[in-house]
Each structure stands twice: as structure tokens, then as C-alpha cells.
């Protein structure tokens, strides 16, 4: 731990000033560091409870097919095996999956594969043993016979290929916008002096947090359960588990003291975590599953596979006239919520003066691992827009900075409403660009660039403007509810119980600084407790870049149009 004389620490202040000045952002010993640096952190895999059993999943090695049979005889004879479950067994525990928004999942999601497999890594059976090694050894002996079928893998195949879910009419998971809306913008594009089109395809990614998914479920009563879970909000996870199992929320307690990264993947528990909870309910014993790295890469929700084509028209002065966008994203077989990603279109043009915009946006089912949230999933809009603007600048023959200057919103243009009805006020895209230009000698760089190219070297410089949503409290139910319970002890020390949650980024320290500053007490006298759904009240925790936002800048202070994570 840093010493009391660490430069910049509050210990250097006169005693009478302690707890009085601004503390947010001040360099100070972190609340979390003492236990983490001495090996006293508590991640899910650190938790041990009496009678705990361990889970290994048997997964599909093929992407699509009908299950002909599951032979567990050899596995059941292995040492330490306590149970082997298939979907027929777990069906005794009713679970109705919902999305992150607590709406019904449209795909037929079940805890384990129900007669068919729809992606590589689809969990087919779960083996429960006295140790993880015993469970894994037995899982290797489970024989699954699958009548393999040709899978639908790409977005292009989803458009014309066989149905991923046979009970649906097509492979469209979600859709917004309208092909016919192009008729409204096409005349404007036809009359534009310059029309530029670009297409961007983004590859699929596996999220790979440092700590993989993890769940330990321990039955505590007739319908009560304590669940240690790698998650982004214990309160949200407890609400989710209770709702999909049809239980009172008070019946479920979720604890997540330390989590090694979430990034959207751990917003809600999904198939495997819920299967562990169901198994614990059936066995009446604690059951634990720690995802291994191969599972994390294969069977944790994937993200970001997108294909977008953007067409933009400009007048003779390089000013925006109209735009059309066709967007598609791969939802996989079991998305954590069917998604057409309309946010791409909502945030395509708020920084710019775009008169007319039309779009169609679709999510497609495929025989790949299901879609999950991953850091700003709408960020494709900035990539395709800003690369198109650079392409347009080259075609028109104008400096890319000047093209943006002519089209960006300035404070004098606000309040403004975007083409999709998004109200825009108190952001400074144009002013940020002017500040950038004042601090970067673009002319000198262009001269250097030209000389470098003569010598066969390529130098580049790029400019991009974007806005990003954060918080959304009040407009999205699962993202609404920020609470803190404060108790002032007889000693004058303060205890804070919060619904915030750390994914390794130190919210306990940040919140202690805010509370100490607001109450006028010493930072050292504030104790912060989070990571337990039994304390505080509902809050979405670490979702949507919401826990450390700066307040609005006072009048006269430059506001940034960027929201960096």
C-alpha cells in the first residue's frame, strides 16, 4: 500500500482541510488495493462451500443437426459422478428465458439442447461430479449421436438458407426501418452533386474477459438460493434469475465481490449459469461451474459481426443532403436478446446537420453462437460514417477537416433534432473540431506527408467525431435505478451500501471520493459496500458506461462531444 506521504494523497493536507476540497479524480490509495494486492480478493472461483459439486458440460461439436441419442452409461460409472442431466431432466425446473430488457426471448432458448443443436458449443448435457476433474473425465465419455445438417453460418446464407429455428417463418431475428423508406431519400440522392457509397464488414469476436463466466449456486431453503456469480450487477442478476424461474426476487441472493471484466457479456446469466442453478435446485446441493478458456472462446456469447452499406449525397459545396443505410448483424442461434441494432442509426448523424436519412436494419439468426452485448455495439456507425466522409473528401477534392467543419453541429445550431428524432443540445462537435485544429498544425503535417511519400513512406492523420449514449436511466427499465444507502455511525464514520459494481475498475474508490466530498468527511472515513444484491436497492451496476460520468460542465467551459470509456 502507498505510504501516508504518497505525493498527492490527502494525508499531505492540513488536518482542517481533510474531506473539504474536491476529491473526485484525486490521486489516493484505492479502497480495493489492500485486499487485491495481498491475494485476498474474492472471485467466484475463490468461493468454497460445504458439499459443493462441480459441473462440466458436454457440448456439440457440430453447428446444426438433430440429436439421435445421448449415451451416458459409461460416464455414470466414472468415480465421483453424482448426476448427469439432459434437457429432459432439467425441464423439471421451469425456466423461461428473457432478454436483458426483461422481455420474452423469441428464440426457443432452453437450458440444454432440446432435440436439436444449433451451434458449435451448444450445451447438450451436464455432468456433475465431486471434483471438476472427475466431471470432465466423465463428460468425455458421454456419446452424443447427431444427424448433421448443413449449417447457416453467414448473414448472406441466413437470407436464403434453411430456417435456423424450424418453427419460425424466416431467419430474421429482428427488423426495423423499411426498404420503402428509400423512396423518400432517393430523389435527394439522385439530385445530389456528389454521391458516395461505402461498405464495412466487421468480423465476429469472442469477448474473452480475463475472468471467464462463473457460477456457484447454493440452495438455502425451499425456494431460496444464494448464487455467487461473475456478473455486472448483482441486483440485476438476482431480478433476472427470480423472474425467469418465477420466484419472488427476495428468494434469490446474488453475490459478486470481484469480477475480472464483463464488457456486456455478464449483464445477465445465460444458458449455462441458469442450468447450474437448476441443477442445484434438483440436487439440493451447492453446484459450481467455472468456464474454461476453450469454452469462453467457443460458447460464451459472441458479438460485432456486422455488415453495413452507407450511401450519402452532398451538394456542390460538400454539404450533406441525404443518406441511406442498409445494416445487418448476425444474432447467432441463441442471442441474449434479438437485436437489429437500431442504435446504429440513432447515433449515425446527431453530430451532423443531415437533412434526410432512411434505413433498414436487420438481425439474422444463424447456426453460430448467440449474440451478446459487447461495449458500444452501435460503434459501427462511427466507423462507416467517418470512413465515408474521408472517401467523400477525396472524391470531392476538399480537405477532410473542412468537409466536417461545413457539416458538424455547433452550439449555435442547437437545440437541434436529428433525423431520427433524437434531441441534441449542449454538445460541441464543431467546437471540439476547432479546438483540435488550433492545437494540431495540419498544414505542417500535410507538407511532411507529401515529402514522406516522395521517399516511399506513408504517413496518415485521421479525424472522427462521435456521440455515445450512457446511463439511459428513465428511458430503459433495466437501466433505471441508482441507489445508495448511507449510514453515519456514532463515531462519525460513514457506511455506504451501493448498487454500483466493480469489474476491476475501482468503483469503491470513486464512490468513496464522491461521498466524502459531498458530506465533507475524510475519504478514509467512508466504507463502501457493493457486490451483493442483499444490500442497497436495485441498480444496473456496470452497464452502459454509467458509473463514473462527469457532471455537465459549467457555463463557459468547453464540453466534449466524446464520451470515452
Amino acid at each position: 500500500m502507498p505510504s501516508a506521504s504518497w505525493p498527492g494523497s490527502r494525508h499531505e493536507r492540513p488536518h482542517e482541510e481533510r474531506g473539504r476540497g474536491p476529491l473526485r479524480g484525486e490521486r489516493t490509495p484505492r479502497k480495493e488495493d489492500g485486499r487485491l494486492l495481498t491475494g485476498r480478493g474474492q472471485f467466484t472461483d475463490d468461493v468454497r462451500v460445504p458439499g459443493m459439486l462441480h459441473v462440466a458440460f458436454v457440448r456439440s461439436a457440430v453447428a446444426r443437426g438433430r440429436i439421435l441419442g445421448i449415451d451416458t452409461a459409461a460416464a455414470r460409472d466414472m468415480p465421483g459422478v453424482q448426476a448427469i442431466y439432459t434437457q429432459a431432466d432439467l425441464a423439471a425446473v421451469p425456466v423461461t428465458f428473457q432478454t436483458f430488457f426483461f422481455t420474452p426471448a423469441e428464440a426457443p432458448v432452453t437450458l440444454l439442447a432440446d432435440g436439436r443443436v444449433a451451434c458449435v458449443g451448444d450445451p447438450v448435457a451436464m455432468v456433475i461430479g465431486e471434483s471438476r476433474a472427475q466431471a470432465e473425465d466423465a463428460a468425455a465419455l458421454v456419446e452424443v449421436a447427431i444427424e448433421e445438417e448443413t449449417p447457416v453460418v453467414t448473414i448472406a446464407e441466413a437470407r436464403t438458407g434453411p430456417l435456423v429455428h424450424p418453427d419460425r417463418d424466416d431467419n430474421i431475428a429482428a427488423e426495423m426501418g423499411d426498404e420503402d423508406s428509400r423512396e423518400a431519400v432517393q430523389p435527394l440522392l439522385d439530385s445530389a452533386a456528389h454521391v458516395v457509397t461505402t461498405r464495412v464488414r466487421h468480423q465476429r469476436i469472442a469477448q474473452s474477459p480475463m475472468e471467464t463466466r462463473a457460477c456457484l449456486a447454493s440452495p438455502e431453503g425451499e425456494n431460496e438460493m444464494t448464487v455467487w456469480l461473475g456478473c455486472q450487477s448483482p441486483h440485476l442478476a438476482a431480478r433476472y434469475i427470480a423472474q425467469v424461474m418465477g420466484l419472488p426476487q427476495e428468494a434469490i441472493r446474488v453475490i459478486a465481490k470481484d469480477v475480472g471484466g464483463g464488457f456486456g457479456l455478464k449483464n445477465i446469466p445465460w444458458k449455462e449459469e441458469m442450468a447450474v442453478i437448476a441443477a442445484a435446485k434438483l440436487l439440493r446441493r451447492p453446484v459450481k461451474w467455472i468456464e474454461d478458456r476453450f469454452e469462453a472462446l467457443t460458447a460464451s456469447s459472441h458479438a460485432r459481426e456486422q455488415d453495413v452499406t452507407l450511401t450519402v449525397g452532398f451538394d456542390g459545396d460538400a454539404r450533406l443532403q441525404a443518406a441511406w443505410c442498409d445494416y445487418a448483424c448476425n444474432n447467432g442461434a441463441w442471442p441474449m436478446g434479438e437485436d437489429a441494432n437500431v442504435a446504429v442509426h440513432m447515433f449515425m448523424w446527431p453530430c451532423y446537420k443531415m437533412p434526410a436519412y432512411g434505413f433498414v436494419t436487420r438481425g439474422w439468426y444463424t447456426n453460430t453462437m448467440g449474440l451478446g452485448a459487447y461495449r458500444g455495439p452501435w460503434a459501427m456507425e462511427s466507423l462507416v460514417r467517418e470512413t465515408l466522409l474521408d472517401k467523400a473528401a477525396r472524391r470531392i477534392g476538399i480537405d477532410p477537416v473542412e468537409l466536417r467543419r461545413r457539416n458538424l453541429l455547433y452550439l449555435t445550431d442547437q437545440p437541434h433534432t436529428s433525423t431520427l428524432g433524437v434531441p441534441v443540445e449542449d454538445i460541441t462537435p464543431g467546437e471540439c473540431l476547432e479546438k483540435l485544429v488550433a492545437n494540431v498544425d495540419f498544414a505542417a503535417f500535410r507538407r511532411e506527408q507529401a515529402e514522406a511519400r516522395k521517399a516511399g513512406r506513408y504517413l496518415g492523420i485521421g479525424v472522427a467525431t462521435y456521440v455515445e449514449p450512457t446511463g439511459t436511466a428513465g428511458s430503459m427499465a433495466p437501466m433505471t435505478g441508482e441507489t445508495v444507502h448511507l449510514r453515519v455511525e456514532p463515531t462519525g464514520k460513514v457506511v455506504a451500501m451501493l448498487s454500483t459494481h466493480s469489474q476491476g475498475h475501482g468503483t469503491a474508490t470513486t464512490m468513496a471520493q464522491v461521498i466524502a466530498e459531498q458530506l465533507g468527511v475524510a475519504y478514509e472515513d467512508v466504507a463502501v459496500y457493493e457486490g451483493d444484491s442483499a444490500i442497497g436497492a436495485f441498480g444496473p451496476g456496470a452497464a452502459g458506461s454509467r458509473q463514473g460520468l462527469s457532471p455537465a460542465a459549467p457555463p463557459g467551459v468547453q464540453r466534449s462531444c466524446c464520451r470515452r470509456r
Side-chain angles (χ1 to χ4, degrees):
M1 290 288 288
S3 69
S5 60
W6 187 19
S9 75
R10 295 188 57 263
H11 298 285
E12 292 185 332
R13 298 184 192 169
H15 177 75
E16 62 272 18
E17 294 182 5
R18 296 181 64 184
R20 302 300 182 186
L23 293 172
R24 286 167 292 174
E26 183 183 88
R27 188 182 185 189
T28 189
R30 299 201 328 157
K31 295 286 186 181
E32 304 88 343
D33 284 353
R35 59 187 176 80
L36 290 173
L37 293 175
T38 56
R40 294 187 176 91
Q42 188 190 84
F43 297 84
T44 302
D45 198 26
D46 294 318
V47 181
R48 305 284 191 273
V49 297
M52 183 173 68
L53 301 174
H54 297 263
V55 168
F57 284 97
V58 179
R59 298 184 180 276
S60 174
V62 302
R64 178 188 179 100
R66 185 167 65 91
I67 298 174
L68 301 177
I70 304 173
D71 186 351
T72 63
R76 290 183 187 277
D77 291 336
M78 290 291 288
V81 172
Q82 297 297 305
I84 300 178
Y85 290 144
T86 64
Q87 176 58 29
D89 302 306
L90 295 187
V93 181
V95 176
T96 304
F97 278 91
Q98 297 181 354
T99 72
F100 170 76
F101 299 101
F102 296 102
T103 58
E106 296 188 26
V109 188
T110 52
L111 296 170
L112 301 175
D114 190 10
R116 296 182 58 83
V117 294
C119 58
V120 172
D122 219 351
V124 176
M126 60 191 303
V127 179
I128 303 172
E130 294 287 349
S131 71
R132 175 61 182 258
Q134 290 173 327
E136 287 186 351
D137 288 345
L141 297 179
V142 175
E143 296 184 7
V144 182
I146 298 175
E147 182 181 28
E148 191 170 354
E149 302 168 356
T150 302
V152 173
V153 176
T154 67
I155 293 172
E157 291 171 349
R159 298 178 193 272
T160 58
L163 297 176
V164 172
H165 299 301
D167 60 335
R168 295 184 63 87
D169 295 331
D170 52 39
N171 285 325
I172 297 176
E175 181 176 20
M176 295 188 73
D178 192 343
E179 292 276 11
D180 295 339
S181 67
R182 181 154 190 167
E183 296 179 4
V185 299
Q186 192 61 48
L188 297 172
L189 292 172
D190 292 340
S191 63
H194 308 279
V195 178
V196 181
T197 298
T198 196
R199 180 185 184 188
V200 175
R201 285 173 286 183
H202 197 294
Q203 78 281 5
R204 165 177 295 258
I205 64 165
Q207 302 190 27
S208 305
M210 183 176 292
E211 181 198 24
T212 57
R213 289 185 294 164
C215 180
L216 166 56
S218 179
E220 305 293 347
E222 181 61 30
N223 276 316
E224 296 178 29
M225 184 88 66
T226 298
V227 181
W228 287 267
L229 185 68
C231 67
Q232 294 179 226
S233 167
H235 295 83
L236 191 147
R239 176 174 291 183
Y240 182 88
I241 295 167
Q243 290 204 17
V244 302
M245 297 186 76
L247 298 172
Q249 186 169 329
E250 291 74 17
I252 303 296
R253 179 186 183 188
V254 172
I255 301 173
K257 291 300 184 183
D258 292 308
V259 176
F263 312 115
L265 171 66
K266 298 176 184 176
N267 275 331
I268 57 175
W270 202 232
K271 290 166 68 83
E272 290 88 347
E273 295 97 327
M274 292 307 304
V276 170
I277 294 168
K281 187 174 178 62
L282 287 176
L283 285 168
R284 304 303 303 160
R285 288 185 63 178
V287 178
K288 184 179 191 179
W289 172 64
I290 305 297
E291 183 180 53
D292 65 31
R293 185 55 62 185
F294 182 78
E295 288 180 300
L297 295 172
T298 307
S300 276
S301 294
H302 292 172
R304 290 216 188 274
E305 186 177 348
Q306 304 163 85
D307 187 339
V308 58
T309 299
L310 179 65
T311 299
V312 179
F314 299 82
D315 68 13
D317 293 325
R319 288 186 167 83
L320 294 166
Q321 297 298 293
W324 166 261
C325 185
D326 188 327
Y327 171 91
C329 64
N330 194 333
N331 274 221
W334 314 114
M336 287 187 174
E338 284 76 5
D339 188 20
N341 211 350
V342 71
V344 162
H345 309 283
M346 292 176 63
F347 305 117
M348 183 71 77
W349 298 111
C351 280
Y352 290 87
K353 291 174 278 190
M354 169 59 77
Y357 181 59
F359 70 91
V360 62
T361 188
R362 298 186 180 97
W364 296 88
Y365 290 121
T366 65
N367 292 118
T368 61
M369 187 50 62
L371 173 71
Y374 181 69
R375 307 216 24 110
W378 55 84
M380 172 62 91
E381 47 81 19
S382 291
L383 178 60
V384 68
R385 180 191 62 243
E386 298 297 320
T387 53
L388 184 142
L389 292 177
D390 283 348
K391 185 177 180 179
R394 289 191 295 270
R395 182 173 300 180
I396 296 170
I398 185 175
D399 185 275
V401 171
E402 179 57 29
L403 183 144
R404 288 174 171 82
R405 178 180 275 132
R406 295 182 187 184
N407 290 288
L408 283 171
L409 286 173
Y410 286 73
L411 279 174
T412 53
D413 300 311
Q414 299 170 52
H416 170 82
T417 301
S418 78
T419 49
L420 264 67
V422 177
V424 180
E425 58 184 48
D426 288 335
I427 67 169
T428 55
E431 288 79 4
C432 282
L433 178 65
E434 300 301 340
K435 190 171 184 178
L436 176 69
V437 171
N439 285 274
V440 177
D441 193 339
F442 280 89
F445 177 83
R446 294 300 184 197
R447 292 191 296 270
E448 181 185 358
Q449 184 182 52
E451 292 301 318
R453 290 193 176 180
K454 292 178 183 178
R457 295 186 298 113
Y458 290 86
L459 302 179
I461 190 169
V463 176
T465 302
Y466 77 101
V467 292
E468 173 182 291
T470 56
T472 65
S475 59
M476 293 167 58
M479 302 287 274
T480 300
E482 308 295 340
T483 61
V484 56
H485 290 181
L486 292 179
R487 185 172 69 241
V488 180
E489 303 288 352
T491 59
K493 296 183 184 296
V494 177
V495 174
M497 293 161 283
L498 295 103
S499 59
T500 55
H501 196 245
S502 175
Q503 306 294 289
H505 52 294
T507 52
T509 294
T510 302
M511 297 305 146
Q513 289 178 313
V514 171
I515 292 165
E517 181 178 316
Q518 291 295 311
L519 297 184
V521 301
Y523 167 77
E524 296 86 349
D525 289 344
V526 179
V528 173
Y529 296 91
E530 55 183 8
D532 189 339
S533 67
I535 64 174
F538 178 81
S545 303
R546 62 189 304 100
Q547 296 185 140
L549 301 182
S550 298
V557 176
Q558 181 70 45
R559 296 174 174 86
S560 171
C561 67
C562 298
R563 292 292 182 264
R564 296 279 181 177
R565 295 179 192 268

